[in-house]
């Protein structure tokens, strides 16, 4: 029996910014190689905090109070900084939320796309250029030569996100963390980007942690799902199981609420107040 | 497109210079003080005073005086200095290089020092080192150039006489210069002893002029760098394995530097204004020092020539700054 690629167990964290308020409460989840797991929850549920813990970029004001984050059997939280640096970006990479701010406005795409290849893999500029062209073709960018030579402001949001996806897969990582990678994009582009991430993940056999507000997105591309509320895991399991047979009243209410439960006004039925009261009672917040 | 905008700028520059010339010309003749009275001996007869007036064209009406002067300036004749009795253009050509060398070296020192401290402060952010950098910089920011000059005189000139106190070159150094650019000429002709002497004379005035500008650069650049350092692209670059120094220099600096360039340009014109007093303190033979004498002596042709030179300098600097800002911003560069 081989260990899971990623196994978070009993992870707890508090916010020193908000007077020790708990952000994560005893969170456990695991991920197999090549698995896509959705991380769902409303704003402030702690999704990004988990993503940041995976990437070793927790803010100083977030303090881990317990638990482990095992990647291939080694705890990222206690690993020496040097070894952590070798893993981050190479074995675990990030597709960011906002392609607008995630590319350096002052550098050409080629430079930004090939940084990792040159710094981490020791490729020459020429080798890195060839590899970058391949990557851009893979993310279905039509005119890769032109895009390599372009500055970020010359590309559309969708194009930029494709570039960032190419960069995330450039070093053949084992795990890609995607923190709401489509929320900043047009609805029409969102679908293409979702499909692209799914395709890239399949081709490369990469595991993905997919952070989203949207249960519809989960149904579309996630093998499994973990639902959080106020830093606590409310429900977890295979996507089909959870969506067809939700156990918790909150999950049921969310599915009834429609595709964007984070915007009750846009949904069909808002989550009833009673469900929130039940959640708070369970978790133990007043 | 570019040609049109350059032409526009040149036209604006000409209009600005013309305006400056008019204002200075009128001001000089409205404020009390008579250049002729400064040069005559006490017992001069009214006739000889009138003759001198006529010789310098000061007997005509104001508009006529201006037109005469302007017509001459357009063909490169700036007239004759009343106090020094020499061609104004020659005087300017002799003295301007000294000031240019001083100001440019001060600028370079300010940029290198200010930039380095800004990068250091950014690397030290949220460590105990950051408030130290900020405090020292805040102190430097509060001290103006002439106070630096006086402090430097006391410390490096009097208490520990390391550097020469005044002048541009040791009178004992026997050299012939082909150009008035002593520092550059001695360097390119590989006369290192001469170069060292000229450089030593520049140390204190350069520090007096450069330190306040360095402090301003540090403050503005560090703030912009800190702002850039929290952007997502820095985070991603860090994940790609870049060192902190590389993050600052390669990722953050190019996006942070725009406001610093613009501000440094403006401040550089102030620095050139500062040469007037600093050159005076160090008896440095530049146009700033000469300007004080010219004003004391009511040397109208010389003052007018100096003002035009200062005005032209400011215009050229502003033009260069605008070009630099565009060069550093790919968005502007591509239209
Ligand atoms: N830098 C920080 N320091 C301290 N606490 C923080 C910090 N950033 C976020 N938090 C807190 O952590 C909690 C969880 O935030 P997190 O960003 O993980 O939520 P999220 O599920 O990603 O929400 P969203 O959907 O809005 O992105 C919030 O209560 C927030 O106040
Ligand atoms: Mg988030």
């Amino acid at each position: 029996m081989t260990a899971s690629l990623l196994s978070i167990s009993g992870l707890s964290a508090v916010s020193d910014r908000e007077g020790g308020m708990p952000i994560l409460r005893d969170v456990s989840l695991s991920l197999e190689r090549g698995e896509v797991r959705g991380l769902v929850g409303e704003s402030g549920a702690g999704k990004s905090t988990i993503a940041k813990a995976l990437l070793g970029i927790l803010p100083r004001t977030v303090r881990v109070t317990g638990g482990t984050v095992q990647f291939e059997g080694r705890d990222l939280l206690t690993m020496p900084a040097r070894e952590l640096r070798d893993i981050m970006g190479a074995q675990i990479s990030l597709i960011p939320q906002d392609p607008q701010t995630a590319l350096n406005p002052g550098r050409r795409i080629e430079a930004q796309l090939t940084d990792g290849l040159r710094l981490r893999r020791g490729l020459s500029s020429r080798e890195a250029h060839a590899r970058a062209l391949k990557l851009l073709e893979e993310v279905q960018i039509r005119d890769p030569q032109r895009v390599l030579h372009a500055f970020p402001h010359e590309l559309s949001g969708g194009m930029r996100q494709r570039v960032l996806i190419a960069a995330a897969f450039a070093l053949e990582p084992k795990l890609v963390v995607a923190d709401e990678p489509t929320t900043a994009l047009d609805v029409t582009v969102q679908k293409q980007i979702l499909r692209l991430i799914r395709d890239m993940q399949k081709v490369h056999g990469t595991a993905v942690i997919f952070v989203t507000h949207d249960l519809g997105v989960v149904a579309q591309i996630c093998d499994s799902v973990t639902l959080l509320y106020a830093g606590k895991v409310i429900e977890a399991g295979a996507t089909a199981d959870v969506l067809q047979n939700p156990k918790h009243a909150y999950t049921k209410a969310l599915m009834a609420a429609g595709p964007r439960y984070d915007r009750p006004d846009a949904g069909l039925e808002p989550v009833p107040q009673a469900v929130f009261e039940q959640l708070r009672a369970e978790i133990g917040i007043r | 497109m570019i040609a049109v905008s350059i032409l526009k700028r040149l036209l604006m520059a000409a209009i600005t210079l013309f305006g400056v010339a008019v204002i200075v010309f009128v001001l000089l003749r409205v404020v009390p003080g008579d250049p002729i009275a400064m040069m005559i001996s006490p017992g001069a007869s009214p006739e000889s005073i009138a003759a001198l007036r006529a010789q310098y064209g000061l007997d005509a009406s104001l508009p006529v005086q201006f037109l005469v002067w302007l017509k001459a300036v357009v063909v490169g004749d700036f007239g004759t200095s009343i106090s020094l009795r020499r061609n104004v253009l020659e005087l300017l050509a002799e003295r301007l290089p000294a000031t240019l060398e001083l100001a440019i070296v001060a600028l370079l020192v300010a940029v290198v020092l200010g930039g380095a401290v800004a990068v250091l402060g950014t690397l030290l952010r949220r460590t105990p080192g950051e408030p130290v950098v900020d405090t020292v910089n805040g102190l430097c920011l509060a001290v103006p150039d002439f106070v630096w000059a006086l402090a430097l005189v006391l410390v490096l000139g009097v208490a520990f006489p390391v550097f020469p106190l005044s002048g541009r070159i040791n009178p004992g150094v026997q050299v012939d210069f082909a150009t008035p650019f002593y520092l550059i000429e001695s360097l390119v002709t590989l006369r290192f002893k001469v170069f060292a002497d000229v450089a030593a004379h520049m140390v204190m005035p350069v520090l007096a002029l450069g330190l306040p500008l360095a402090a301003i650069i540090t403050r503005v650049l560090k703030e912009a760098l800190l702002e850039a350092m929290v952007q997502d692209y820095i985070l991603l670059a860090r994940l790609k394995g870049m060192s902190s120094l590389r993050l600052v220099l390669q990722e953050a600096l190019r996006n942070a530097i725009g406001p610093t360039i613009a501000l440094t340009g403006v401040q550089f014109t102030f620095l050139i204004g500062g040469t007037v007093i600093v050159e005076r303190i160090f008896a440095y033979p530049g146009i700033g020092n000469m300007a004080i004498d010219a004003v004391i002596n009511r040397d109208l042709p010389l003052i007018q020539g100096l003002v035009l030179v200062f005005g032209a300098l400011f215009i050229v600097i502003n033009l260069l700054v605008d070009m630099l800002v565009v060069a550093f911003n790919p968005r502007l560069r591509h239209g």
Side-chain angles (χ1 to χ4, degrees), chain A residues 15 17-18 21 23 42-49 59 61-62 180 213:
Chain A
S15 166
R17 206 177 56 187
E18 279 120 322
M21 183 192 78
I23 304 175
E42 63 185 51
S43 196
K47 309 180 297 289
S48 294
T49 306
T61 41
V62 171
E180 306 196 44
H213 280 124

Side-chain angles (χ1 to χ4, degrees), chain A residues 111-127:
Chain A
Q112 308 198 47
L113 191 51
T114 57
D115 275 332
L117 294 167
R118 285 178 286 116
L119 290 170
R120 285 287 176 70
R121 294 282 183 266
L123 262 56
S124 69
S125 323
R126 179 174 305 199
E127 292 165 336

